[in-house]
Amino acid sequence: LSGVARRIASPQKVSGTEKRLMMAGNPGDLSTMDFLGLKLVVAGLVAGATFVIAGLILGAFAFGLLGAAAVAGLGFMMPELWLSRRVKKRQKQILLATPDTLDLLTISVRAGLSFDGALAKVVEKVPGPLSDEFQRALAEVRVGKARRDALRDVIGRTEVPALSNFIGAIVQAEQLGVPIAKVLQIQSEQLRIERRQRAEELAAKAPIKMLFPLVGCIFPSMFIVILGPAI
């Protein structure tokens, strides 16, 4: 089925799926063609189960065929939905880990380590998807890739705005000859401010979200208690 997917998939679809798999951290070590083949497998399984239940067990063959055709499209999209959730979950983990990771990076550089040595220390002390990306960037630097190019590739594999701004500042500082320790300190302070603003934004949304359980669960009970005896 991976071969079938290779023949029917457009180059744009293949490149887009490859990028999303990288952003999701390559779950299950799936290649692009494996993932496209998996979509065909899930679509076939869902359509077959629908036809067996509706057509053979319930005896509605026409409805079973129509239902299988309709559900096949849903089954074809289920892996895409799963991959989108993996991407968003990984991006959230990277966003939450960025301020603390940058603090450790700043402390390490100000303590006398080089930038690459500080990245290695971060990879050693802070496990997670962000450390995995930095570890991959360090491995690319060791085999001869320019550090700014390796860091720019991290932006393409994550697409987290806070991390993109930080890496952009590091690359620009390296090109202009600005001390990296100063840049790291400024970026660390900025990320802490952004983290506080995100927390304040979530706190501001909390009362609105509390209205739904309040209206749906508490008010009906109050009406029963207050109006019940009167009725």
Side-chain angles (χ1 to χ4, degrees):
L1 289 177
S2 297
V4 175
R6 183 182 296 109
R7 289 191 295 270
I8 64 176
S10 63
Q12 294 81 4
K13 181 64 175 179
V14 172
S15 60
T17 302
E18 183 178 3
K19 182 177 181 180
R20 295 179 65 200
L21 285 172
M22 286 194 303
M23 292 173 61
N26 293 109
D29 292 330
L30 287 172
S31 66
T32 304
M33 294 306 163
D34 291 339
F35 180 77
L36 295 176
L38 178 65
K39 294 175 64 175
L40 296 178
V41 171
V42 175
L45 289 176
V46 173
T50 302
F51 176 74
V52 169
I53 294 175
L56 300 181
I57 298 179
L58 300 180
F61 293 99
F63 179 75
L65 290 174
L66 293 176
V71 174
L74 178 62
F76 189 77
M77 294 303 300
M78 285 174 61
E80 291 284 351
L81 299 176
W82 169 78
L83 184 60
S84 298
R85 292 187 61 183
R86 288 293 298 262
V87 170
K88 292 180 180 179
K89 180 181 179 180
R90 191 167 185 266
Q91 287 178 331
K92 184 177 180 180
Q93 291 174 342
I94 292 175
L95 179 62
L96 294 177
T98 299
D100 295 333
T101 301
L102 186 53
D103 284 339
L104 178 58
L105 192 61
T106 304
I107 293 171
S108 300
V109 170
R110 296 182 67 180
L113 290 176
S114 64
F115 184 74
D116 293 343
L119 278 181
K121 182 63 65 175
V122 167
V123 170
E124 177 185 352
K125 297 296 183 180
V126 185
L130 182 56
S131 295
D132 295 339
E133 292 296 337
F134 283 152
Q135 185 176 13
R136 179 173 176 177
L138 285 174
E140 292 175 349
V141 171
R142 292 191 187 101
V143 298
K145 194 171 188 176
R147 183 169 66 185
R148 59 178 176 270
D149 294 334
L151 291 176
R152 287 193 181 108
D153 290 342
V154 174
I155 297 177
R157 293 194 299 266
T158 56
E159 293 190 359
V160 177
L163 183 60
S164 301
N165 294 335
F166 158 64
I167 292 178
I170 293 298
V171 172
Q172 187 175 11
E174 183 180 1
Q175 292 175 342
L176 299 178
V178 179
I180 291 183
K182 184 64 176 178
V183 175
L184 288 175
Q185 183 179 357
I186 296 173
Q187 289 294 317
S188 179
E189 294 174 356
Q190 181 65 30
L191 284 177
R192 282 196 293 268
I193 293 174
E194 292 178 359
R195 180 169 60 180
R196 189 187 311 115
Q197 290 174 347
R198 287 196 300 270
E200 292 173 353
E201 181 181 358
L202 291 175
K205 292 179 180 178
I208 299 176
K209 294 180 179 179
M210 291 171 61
L211 284 176
F212 296 100
L214 184 67
V215 173
C217 301
I218 299 178
F219 281 176
S221 303
M222 292 179 60
F223 291 155
I224 293 174
V225 171
I226 295 173
L227 302 179
I231 293 176

